Amino acid sequence: MSIRLRFAPSPTGDLHVGGARTALFNWLYARHMGGKFLLRIEDTDRERSTEAAVQAIFDGLKWLGLDWDEEPLFQHTRQEAHCAAVARLLETGHAYRCYCTAEELEQMRAEQRAHGGKPRYNGRCRHRTDAPDQPFVVRFRTPSEGMVGFDDLIKGRVAVANEELDDLVLQRSDSTPTYNLAVVCDDAEMGITHVIRGDDHVNNTFRQLHLYEALGLKAPQFGHMPLILGEDGAKLSKRHGATSVFEYARLGYLPAAMRNHLARLGWSHGDQEQFTTEELVAAFDIKDVGASPSVFALQKLDSLNGWYLRNGDLDEVTDLFADFLQQEAIPIEVDHDSARLRRIVESQRERTATLKEMAEKSDYFFREEIDLDEKAAHKHLRPVVLAPLRELRDTLAALPAPLTAEGVKPPFEAILERHGLKMGKLAQPVRVALTGGGISPGIYDVIEIIGKERCLTRLDAAIAYVERRAEHP
RNA sequence: GGUCCCAUCGUCUAGGGGUUAGGACGCCGCCCUCUCACGGCGGAAACAGGGGUUCAAUUCCCCUUGGGACUACCA
C-alpha cells in the first residue's frame, strides 16, 4: 500500500518558513516513496480563518513548487463527523461533559500555580452525574495511570506518563470540535499513514494517540521535525524579520534556492550542497533528518540563491527576473526587448545574490538618465583621459548600431595602444561615464547593453564634465 | 515551575569506539582580473563540562550545564 502524507496548515496568515519546510519534507517523503501528498486546511477556528489566507497558502506552496494530490480537505466541512465522534466517545465513557466556566478554570489554574503546581484541569466534572441546563464542553477522560509513547520516525522512542496529561477539551461550548479531535478524525478519514510535523506537536501526539485508541482507529506513524530557529536561537517568528515565503520572493529569492535551503535545514545527504528537485526527491529519506533544531541563516540562503542565479537556465532566470521587475514595479522603461534583458541577466548574475540586488545594480541599464557618483567621477574622470575618451566617443559613433561587445573590443584596444594605456586606465573612466559609478559588468558588455545612442550621450556628458574640470581645476 | 526534546567549527552539517574530525556558508590571505563579482588555491575555526563502560571515547550510558518546545473552549 502506498503511503499518504499531508500538510495541514491553519489559514491564519501567509505560508511561513517553518510551515514551508514541514510541507516540503512531507512532499519530499511522499514523492520519494511514490505516495500521496495531501492538503488539509485546518479552519475549525472560524474566527481566525480567512479566505485570503487559504489562497496565500496555496500560492505559497505553488511558488515553492510543491504540488498536491486530490482535492484539499477543508476541516470545517467535517464538523458532522467530528460531532459524531464526540458523541461516540461520550457514549463509551471516554469523554464527559464539563460545566466549568472560563472564570472557574482560570481560578483553578491560578491556585495551582500559586501552590507551585502545573496549571491544568483538575477533573472536577469527571464524575458528575447531573446534567444541568448550562453550557458545557466535552472533555476527554485521559487514562490516569500508565504511559503513552510511540516510536518517532525522527526522534526514536518518545513517551510520557499519562498523569502529566490533563483532560483536553474535544468540543467547545458552541459544540464545535477542537484541534486534536478534528485532526484524529480527519487523518483517519484521509487514510494518512505518516504524520510529519513540527516538534511543537509532540505533546499533541500523546493526546491524539489516546484518541485513536478510544475511537478504535489505527494511528499513523509520527515524525517530529526539530523547529527552525532565528539567528538568536529562539523559534523563528515574525520578530526575526521575514518569515513568509512571499517576503522572500519579494526580496528576490528563487524558489529553487529556498527549497534547497529549507531541505538542508535538518536534513543532509553526505557533502552535497546543491540539489535539483529530482535529486532531492531521490535522495530524501526521513531517516536522515536530524533531531536537533537549526538556525535559519540568511547568508547561506544568499549564497545558494546566487548559485541558482548563476547556474540556472538563462532563459528561466530571465523570466524570473522579468516577473520580479514587474511585480516590484521597478521603474524601468517599458522595454519588451527580452534579448536585452537576457543580456543584462547574463552579465549581472555573476555578481549578484538576489533578483532584487540584480535589479538595483542594473539601474543604469534601465534609466534614461544617470547621475555621476561624485567620488567615482572625481577619481576617474580626469583631464588625462579626455583625449582617449573623445576618441572612443567618435569611434563608437562611427560604428554601425547595434554595438556588440565583440565588435567594440578591437577598436577599444586600438585606442588603448595608441595612448599607451592599460585596460584599467580607460575602462574605469568609461565605466563611470556610462554607469555613473565604478562597479559594473565587463565594459564591453556594458557598452553593448546600454546601446549606441545612450553611450554617446553619456560619453558626451562625461567629456563635458572633464572639460569643465580642465578649465576650472 | 512541570513535562518532553536537543547538544561536532560563528552557522548548516558529515562522521562515528582507534580519523591529520570532512564539506558548505561566512571570515582572512594569495592567484585570476578593466571595477565588482565569479572561479581557483591556501588559512584560522568545533566534538559544552564531569563521571562511568572499554585496551581505546568526540562516538555508548549517567549526571551537570546550556538551548528549545509544550503547558488554551488556537491550530
Side-chain angles (χ1 to χ4, degrees), chain A residues 223-238:
Chain A
H224 293 91
M225 319 189 305
L227 268 15
I228 298 179
L229 275 24
E231 316 237 8
D232 65 349
K235 180 177 174 179
L236 194 68
S237 66
K238 320 93 228 156

Side-chain angles (χ1 to χ4, degrees), chain A residues 80-293:
Chain A
E80 224 168 282
H82 298 152
C83 289
V86 171
R88 224 177 330 141
L89 292 172
L90 234 23
E91 256 168 55
T92 54
H94 283 108
Y96 60 92
R97 293 184 171 85
C98 169
Y99 297 88
C100 296
T101 64
E103 296 72 46
E104 287 170 327
L105 292 173
E106 188 37 54
Q107 194 188 341
M108 188 185 295
R109 293 195 184 96
E111 277 170 23
Q112 283 155 338
R113 249 186 300 259
H115 293 287
K118 72 187 291 183
R120 37 129 75 186
Y121 181 66
N122 66 7
R124 182 156 68 180
C125 295
R126 264 193 162 205
H127 305 291
R128 72 190 286 172
T129 48
D130 59 335
D133 185 23
Q134 282 168 25
F136 62 87
V137 299
V138 176
R139 283 183 187 274
F140 184 69
R141 195 186 303 277
T142 306
S144 46
E145 291 173 355
M147 306 277 293
V148 234
F150 61 99
D151 292 303
D152 192 281
L153 262 9
I154 293 167
K155 297 173 181 299
R157 186 73 191 171
V158 182
V160 73
N162 282 148
E163 61 181 351
E164 296 298 335
L165 275 20
D166 61 357
D167 291 347
L168 73 150
V169 172
L170 301 177
Q171 191 178 73
R172 303 186 186 94
S173 48
D174 64 359
S175 78
T176 55
T178 58
Y179 171 72
N180 282 293
L181 188 270
V183 165
V184 169
C185 290
D186 295 346
D187 278 339
E189 169 69 20
M190 294 165 80
I192 299 302
T193 59
H194 300 253
V195 171
I196 297 172
R197 64 201 341 181
D199 227 350
D200 49 345
H201 281 286
V202 287
N203 264 285
N204 289 321
T205 302
F206 297 129
R207 301 166 193 281
Q208 289 170 18
L209 249 11
H210 280 136
L211 285 173
Y212 277 106
E213 169 114 37
L215 253 11
L217 298 169
K218 185 175 184 297
Q221 286 200 265
F222 293 95
H224 293 91
M225 319 189 305
L227 268 15
I228 298 179
L229 275 24
E231 316 237 8
D232 65 349
K235 180 177 174 179
L236 194 68
S237 66
K238 320 93 228 156
R239 67 193 170 79
H240 293 290
T243 52
S244 151
V245 295
F246 294 127
E247 288 179 80
Y248 285 94
R250 282 191 288 267
L251 287 169
Y253 292 96
L254 269 35
M258 182 55 91
R259 209 157 50 221
N260 200 146
H261 188 238
L262 251 19
R264 287 285 286 97
L265 252 35
W267 174 84
S268 62
H269 187 64
D271 281 342
Q272 191 171 350
E273 297 288 345
Q274 282 94 203
F275 297 83
T276 62
T277 305
E278 294 69 31
E279 287 175 322
L280 228 36
V281 169
F284 187 84
D285 194 317
I286 193 74
K287 288 198 297 289
D288 300 323
V289 176
S292 50

